């Protein structure tokens, strides 16, 4: 929705029909089911391509070809990713050190490791430096548990073991959180990579 407040028209694509079906309608947003590598968007029609927490899933060579096709000259590709959030040191330790690595760590898909090496992913555009960015939310403990339960590694663990892995850290989280209704500030530092499609230079005579 953020892009719709800046641009007159936004085309939002996802390869998953379920993701598109659950998207929030907006008069400026055109939702489409399409893979990133074959968007179906008109050539040279796009000012900005934004990829949020998804670049590691793509066939990068094909995606970059598609990006060059649909972007206008001087168009921008921006990709962002995050790994861990920060709440308090005690909560972070339970979630990031214990739950993420030790409890559900073996259930992350192989592509997840690319999020941890996001800065090193091939990026075949002329990159520009960006200021720091972050996502900020205000959550209570139930919000946090709902988020952790949505992790793909959590879902894979549940299918494999027929139990909820969050039960292993529930007591620790409650102790670290305090009043479970208390809303705490949750911060995800973003890694952002931005590149510009350069205008072709005329050949030198």
């Amino acid at each position: 929705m953020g892009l719709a407040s800046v641009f007159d028209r936004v085309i939002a694509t996802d390869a998953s029909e379920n993701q598109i079906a659950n998207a929030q309608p907006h008069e400026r947003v055109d939702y489409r089911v399409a893979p990133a590598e074959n968007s179906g968007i008109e050539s040279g029609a796009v000012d900005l391509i934004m990829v949020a927490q998804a670049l590691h899933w793509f066939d990068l060579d094909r995606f970059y070809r598609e990006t060059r096709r649909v972007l206008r000259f001087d168009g921008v590709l921006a990709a962002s990713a995050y790994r861990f959030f920060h709440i308090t040191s005690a909560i972070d330790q339970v979630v990031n050190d214990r739950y993420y690595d030790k409890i559900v760590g073996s259930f992350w898909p192989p592509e997840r490791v690319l999020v941890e090496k996001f800065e090193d992913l091939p990026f075949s555009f002329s990159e520009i430096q960006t200021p720091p960015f972050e996502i900020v939310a205000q959550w209570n403990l139930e919000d946090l548990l709902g988020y952790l339960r949505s992790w793909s590694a959590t879902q894979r663990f549940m299918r494999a073991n027929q139990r909820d892995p969050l039960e292993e850290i529930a007591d620790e989280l409650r102790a670290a959180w305090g009043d479970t209704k208390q809303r705490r500030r949750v911060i995800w530092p973003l890694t952002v990579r931005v590149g510009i499609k350069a205008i072709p230079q005329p050949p030198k005579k």
Side-chain angles (χ1 to χ4, degrees):
M1 294 301 109
L3 290 177
S5 67
V6 179
F7 292 91
D8 291 332
R9 184 188 181 201
V10 176
I11 300 173
T13 67
D14 197 289
S16 167
E17 291 186 18
N18 287 336
Q19 292 281 11
I20 295 299
N22 285 290
Q24 182 179 346
H26 191 285
E27 60 182 3
R28 293 185 181 179
V29 181
D30 175 9
Y31 291 105
R32 302 180 183 180
V33 178
E37 301 86 351
N38 186 21
S39 67
I41 297 172
E42 180 184 352
S43 296
V46 175
D47 295 300
L48 167 69
I49 294 175
M50 180 67 211
V51 181
Q53 197 70 0
L55 192 63
H56 55 290
W57 293 110
F58 298 166
D59 179 324
L60 291 180
D61 288 340
R62 292 177 57 215
F63 171 67
Y64 290 144
R65 284 198 297 272
E66 180 72 353
T67 297
R68 289 191 183 87
R69 184 185 70 78
V70 303
L71 277 178
R72 296 186 173 117
F73 291 122
D74 273 355
V76 173
L77 168 64
S80 65
Y82 57 83
R83 185 183 180 193
F84 292 138
F85 57 70
H86 302 299
I87 305 177
T88 69
S89 58
I91 295 170
D92 294 351
Q93 184 175 18
V94 174
V95 175
N96 299 336
D97 297 341
R98 189 157 134 63
Y99 187 73
Y100 180 97
D101 282 329
K102 296 183 175 62
I103 296 177
V104 299
S106 62
F107 290 89
W108 286 109
E111 293 83 359
R112 176 67 189 183
V113 72
L114 299 178
V115 172
E116 301 170 15
K117 300 177 180 179
F118 191 71
E119 301 92 335
D120 301 324
L121 281 180
F123 198 79
S124 57
F125 286 81
S126 178
E127 284 198 68
I128 60 176
Q129 295 297 311
T130 66
F133 289 98
E134 61 186 24
I135 300 173
V136 180
Q138 295 287 335
W139 280 355
N140 60 28
L141 181 57
E142 274 307 306
D143 294 325
L144 174 61
L145 291 172
Y147 169 68
L148 297 179
R149 195 166 282 114
S150 74
W151 283 3
S152 61
T154 301
Q155 294 299 312
R156 287 170 176 236
F157 182 105
M158 292 172 70
R159 287 194 294 270
N161 297 285
Q162 300 300 304
R163 62 183 178 86
D164 187 347
L166 287 168
E167 294 173 357
E168 298 187 33
I169 61 166
D171 290 342
E172 294 173 72
L173 269 183
R174 291 189 191 96
W177 195 277
D179 179 0
T180 59
K181 300 299 183 184
Q182 178 184 354
R183 303 189 77 80
R184 293 185 177 275
R185 196 165 186 253
V186 186
I187 302 172
W188 291 263
L190 289 176
T191 301
V192 180
R193 302 184 66 180
V194 176
I196 298 176
K197 179 180 176 181
I199 297 176
Q201 298 298 313
K204 294 182 180 180
K205 295 183 179 180

